[in-house]
Structure formats: structure tokens, C-alpha cells
Amino acid sequence: MTKEHRPDLKSAQVKKSEASISPSMASMPLDVKLSPDGKTIVRVKGISRGALVRSAPQVTLSRKRSHDEARVVYFDTALNEPYRSLGKGKKYLIYTWGCQMNVHDTETMAGILELMGFVPTEDEKGADLILFNTCAIRENAEDKVYGELGRLKALKQEKPGLILGMAGCMAQEEGVVARILKSYPHVDLVFGTHNIHRLPVLIHEALMSKEMVVEVWNMEGEIVEHLPKARQGGIKAWVNIAYGCDEFCTYCIVPYTRGGERSRAPEEILSELRDLARQGYKEVTLLGQNVNAYGKDFKTRMYTFADLLKDVHALPIPWVRFTTSHPRDFDSRAVDVLARGGNLLEHIHLPVQSGSDRVLKAMNRKYTREHYLELVAEMRSKIKDVSFTTDIIVGFPGETEEDFDQTLTLVETVRYDGAFTFIYSPREGTPAAKMDDTTPMSVKKARLAKLNEVLARITYERQQTLLGRTVEVLVEGVSKKDETVLTGRTRANKIVHFYGPSSLIGQFAEVRIEDAKTWTLYGKLIRARDVALAGR
């Protein structure tokens, strides 16, 4: 794995092809000029403000993949001036949409900002910098972001010195930058998922420039290690083990917004985990768009997700989870390691998306219904008390009633403990967005309601099996509805409420379940523990 000492913060590593104007931007009434220093200045006709475009997203470039192993560089936390004191006396606020990966990216942004001297605030009017870390997985998430950007226009007019920025997966979409240029000229900064480490430079440019600053890399760059993190709570932490996705499911925008699969070196992951253990964190979730593909991109070593789990199993982290898994890449070696129990928890989030082979093929999921059910059966036979949750899409283009019925029968067979269910949302630039979709929305909504009804019944039945049992709970805090009630999660990721002293927050407790609702368990505290039980 190629290594260098530090990333070059002063220059964006952008190919000439990336600096060109995307088709979405080219269709707009633009004036495009080069400044004397070679920077591209884009101005939408009729709008007074221009944009300094270092690079803008293009779908054709986002599809490309490098066959080389990712280059590793190290972030220099000893920031030089002017970046180190740029935020002195200033406050920042970050709004986050989307998955755990986005939440963890926000922790990285916050860590960099605090290294620059910024301090956090929850008061919009008191903020000097507001960032939107966005999600592109569904249209309604994007609509919320646009609504919030529009809402903050008045604050920007009231406080011209405020820096307003968009980051995350939305920024990686080709049409988004064009829309921001045209309809949201009060935005000062747009950057994507591949260049978060350049935040100090981008903020400096946004402060010094009269133009909007746009830098969105189309292809993934290096893996940047030693990035600062501003983690919250001190109980649970997220740790990236890999970035990107090469599955290219036909409905999914993630391979375009997150780039190709790149695995972190196991030495870096294990070192970060040991550090979190020393800090007293009780639970860590290993993150990746497809954790089961971890290590496939290594060229100079044979080291897989199963190998990583084996090494993690020996660390003094009490609880370890991981997400998200892909059924095609979940092999028997990984199942065998998980069967050892201990700090490797028995909750598996295993997205199925559909129970129909015909729909799975149209989705390019690369596995069959039979393969999925065989994998579930193997896990149930090897992992004691294993708990499954999943993701399911209804109303995918061409889905028939027969296809939907096959999803229902699969749900009945697996008997999930929970599921995230969605009506298909077309994403611009994905193959599925071009497929004929003649199913009325009313039918899709009816299917979703029926699916959720079946899932709720099964979840309730699964919850009832825990009545009278004593479960181990990691206490996370107090209930939102009653501050005298503690709340936490079991090894199987089930929510438990019970009465107990607030001193238990951040500790483990044994709780006997006395009542079970569909989504929540209620119990009685038996005893508190400083350390987790040994596991299965």
C-alpha cells in the first residue's frame, strides 16, 4: 500500500477532465472565463454572483474506477497559518442528513473545524459557519435540504459574513451544483465526500473570495489517515474500515457519490480501536458501504473482513457492531468468526431489498432469493440468538403483485427483528431511473403499508419471546419522554427502557424484561456491571 506523509492541502488534485463543465451546467446560460491564475470562474447570466469552480461532478467520471490500490496519506494536525487560527473566536453549526457514514463524516468535519479554532454552537444566528452534510439516497431527503437552504437566505442577508456550505453526497450529484449556482447563490461553499480533508483551504477561499467556491472531486482520491474527530457522548463510536462501493445496484446513487471501494489498512483500524478502548468507549460500529468487501482491493496482502473480525475479537472493546453488509460478499469464514461471540454482537443488518429473483436481477443485486435464505440459515445454525434486520424497497420499476408476494413470503421465512422499508425513489444518473415505471403510486403505498403491517406483527411476536428473560443492556441515556427512565440497547440492538440511577449511563446493566411492545422493551434493573458479559 503506497504511503506518503501528508496530503497537499494547498492544491486540489483534480484532473483536467474533472475541471470541465458538466452537461448539467453546460445547459445553463453561463459565462465561463479563466482568471489570470488559471482558475475557472463560472457566472450564471442574470445572477450577480459567480463561482470559483475547481471541479464539478459528472456522472460519466463518477462511474470510473481505478484498478490501483488506494494511496495512503496522513493528515497533519499541526495546521499551519493561516488555517490554524482561521476559526478563532468563531462558531460553527453542522446539520446532518443520512446514514452513519454521514454522521461520522460530520464528526471529522467538526474535528477539523475545532482544530482551526472554531467552537460548536446550536444557535443559527450565533454561527459564523453553517454546513449542510447531505444525503442523496432518496428524493425527499434532498427536498428537505433545498428547503433549509432557502430558509437560510434571510439569515445570510442579515449576516453577510456568515459562511454557508453544502457537503456530502448531494454535492456529488451532477445536477446539484448547477441548481445551487442558479437558485441558491447565497451558498458560499460546495464540496463533496472525497475532499473533506481540504476543508481548511476551502473555508479560507470562501472567506477571501467574492465567488462561491466549488470543489467536488469526481473520483475518489487517497485514503487520509489521522483525521481529527469530534466524537459525541463518549459511549459509542463509529470507525470507518472502508470507503466507497463497486456493486452498482441499478437504483443506488452511492457508487457515484462515494466512489470505488478502498479498504483502510488493518493496522490503522486496529490502532484506532485500541485508542477508543483506552478512552473508555463501550461500543464501536465498523462502517463501510459494503463491509463484507473489505480487503478485496488489497494488492500486496491477503486480508479479508473475516480476518479483521478475528483481530477485532481479541481487542478490549466490549461491544462491536458493523454495517452495512452485502449478502453476495458475506462468506462462511466471516460467519464462523462471528459465531465466537464475545465482543462481536449477534445483530446482523442484511439488506435484501426484494424477495423476487426477477426484481433482484433488475436491481443488479448479484444474488438470488435462494442464496439469501441459505445465508440466513447458516447464520441461524452457527450464531446463537442471531438477530436480523434488513432494508426493503417496494414499487421498484416493473415489480408485479407476484414479485411483491415473494417479498412477503421471504419476510415470513426470515422473521426479521426490524426493517427499513421504502417506496422506490428514482435517482438521476442511475440505470433504474430510466426504466419504465407504470405502477401507480397508490399501489406502491398500499404495498408498503401491507409490508409494514406484516413486519410489525413479526417484530411484535419476536419481542414477546423475550418476556421474563434477563438481557444485557448498554445504557445510553435517559428517555426523551421521561427523564427518570433510562434507555439503552441490547446486544441484538433492541431498545430497552427501565428505571435506574443516572450514574448507570455509559455502563452495562442486566435487565429482566417485563413488558414487550413492537419497538420497545420494558424491564426491571437486576444489577449493574462495569464491564460487558463474556457473550454467548
Side-chain angles (χ1 to χ4, degrees), residues 97 132 134-151 166 170 173 176 179-180 184 425-427:
W97 287 263
F132 285 13
T134 61
C135 173
I137 202 72
R138 280 175 292 280
E139 186 177 5
N140 62 346
E142 295 193 357
D143 290 342
K144 291 178 182 178
V145 171
Y146 286 126
E148 288 295 288
L149 285 176
R151 181 182 64 81
M166 172 190 277
M170 270 183 70
E173 293 185 274
V176 168
R179 183 169 176 178
I180 294 296
Y184 302 89
S425 176
R427 303 282 73 214

Side-chain angles (χ1 to χ4, degrees), residues 247-252 256 352-369 393 395-400 403 406 424 430-436:
E247 296 301 329
F248 285 98
C249 300
T250 57
Y251 56 84
C252 188
Y256 308 93
V352 67
Q353 306 303 358
S354 174
S356 162
D357 281 342
R358 197 182 67 81
V359 174
L360 288 172
K361 184 176 181 180
M363 290 178 167
N364 194 36
R365 289 292 287 174
K366 305 184 184 76
Y367 58 82
T368 64
R369 173 192 178 99
I393 296 172
F396 187 78
E399 181 189 65
T400 65
D403 293 324
Q406 290 174 10
Y424 166 71
T430 62
K434 299 178 182 179
M435 296 179 182
D436 291 335

Side-chain angles (χ1 to χ4, degrees), residues 92-343:
Y92 76 90
L93 173 60
I94 306 177
Y95 290 114
T96 308
W97 287 263
C99 64
Q100 295 98 325
M101 188 75 78
N102 265 27
V103 175
H104 191 43
D105 283 349
T106 289
E107 292 178 339
T108 301
M109 294 177 201
I112 294 173
L113 292 174
E114 291 178 16
L115 199 63
M116 297 170 66
F118 287 92
V119 294
T121 182
E122 295 183 2
D123 177 24
E124 283 183 350
K125 292 186 177 180
D128 301 283
L129 169 69
I130 299 177
L131 295 179
F132 285 13
N133 189 11
T134 61
C135 173
I137 202 72
R138 280 175 292 280
E139 186 177 5
N140 62 346
E142 295 193 357
D143 290 342
K144 291 178 182 178
V145 171
Y146 286 126
E148 288 295 288
L149 285 176
R151 181 182 64 81
L152 288 181
K153 183 177 181 179
L155 179 61
K156 177 69 175 177
Q157 291 172 336
E158 178 184 328
K159 191 176 180 180
L162 169 68
I163 297 296
L164 182 59
M166 172 190 277
C169 290
M170 270 183 70
Q172 296 286 155
E173 293 185 274
E174 184 174 297
V176 168
V177 171
R179 183 169 176 178
I180 294 296
L181 282 168
K182 182 177 181 181
S183 303
Y184 302 89
H186 58 287
V187 172
D188 301 287
L189 174 62
V190 180
F191 63 101
T193 60
H194 303 315
N195 58 337
I196 293 173
H197 63 283
R198 281 183 40 80
L199 191 54
V201 174
L202 299 176
I203 291 175
H204 182 261
E205 287 192 341
L207 284 168
M208 299 296 114
S209 176
K210 294 181 180 180
E211 285 82 24
M212 181 192 304
V213 176
V214 178
E215 183 178 295
V216 181
W217 295 2
N218 282 288
M219 293 183 67
E220 67 281 356
E222 54 275 295
I223 292 176
V224 184
E225 295 290 357
H226 299 179
L227 284 164
K229 309 282 193 307
R231 291 186 166 98
Q232 302 296 317
I235 302 173
K236 303 168 70 172
W238 290 282
V239 172
N240 287 112
I241 67 169
Y243 306 93
C245 180
D246 289 339
E247 296 301 329
F248 285 98
C249 300
T250 57
Y251 56 84
C252 188
I253 195 70
V254 170
Y256 308 93
T257 62
R258 288 284 178 175
E261 291 172 357
R262 294 100 66 208
S263 302
R264 291 180 67 195
E267 297 85 1
E268 296 290 348
I269 298 169
L270 298 173
S271 175
E272 185 173 354
L273 290 173
R274 291 188 189 99
D275 186 54
L276 290 171
R278 285 191 290 269
Q279 294 178 50
Y281 279 87
K282 300 298 192 298
E283 178 182 310
V284 169
T285 300
L286 308 178
L287 293 179
Q289 269 72 38
N290 177 5
V291 293
N292 305 99
Y294 174 82
K296 281 188 171 183
D297 55 314
F298 290 148
K299 307 296 183 184
T300 57
R301 69 171 93 194
M302 289 292 294
Y303 189 93
T304 67
F305 185 53
D307 297 312
L308 179 63
L309 289 177
K310 182 179 178 180
D311 287 340
V312 169
H313 183 259
L315 295 180
I317 293 283
W319 281 10
V320 179
R321 303 185 190 275
F322 54 88
T323 193
T324 292
S325 294
H326 194 291
R328 183 183 74 134
D329 296 314
F330 213 133
D331 60 29
S332 293
R333 287 190 65 230
V335 176
D336 290 339
V337 177
L338 289 171
R340 299 179 183 184
N343 62 352

Side-chain angles (χ1 to χ4, degrees), residues 416-454:
Y416 296 103
D417 284 279
F420 297 100
T421 59
F422 313 96
I423 292 175
Y424 166 71
S425 176
R427 303 282 73 214
E428 183 181 355
T430 62
K434 299 178 182 179
M435 296 179 182
D436 291 335
D437 186 4
T438 58
T439 306
M441 181 56 68
S442 59
V443 173
K444 294 181 181 182
K445 289 181 177 179
R447 289 176 184 171
L448 182 65
K450 186 174 182 180
L451 173 63
N452 286 337
E453 181 181 345
V454 171

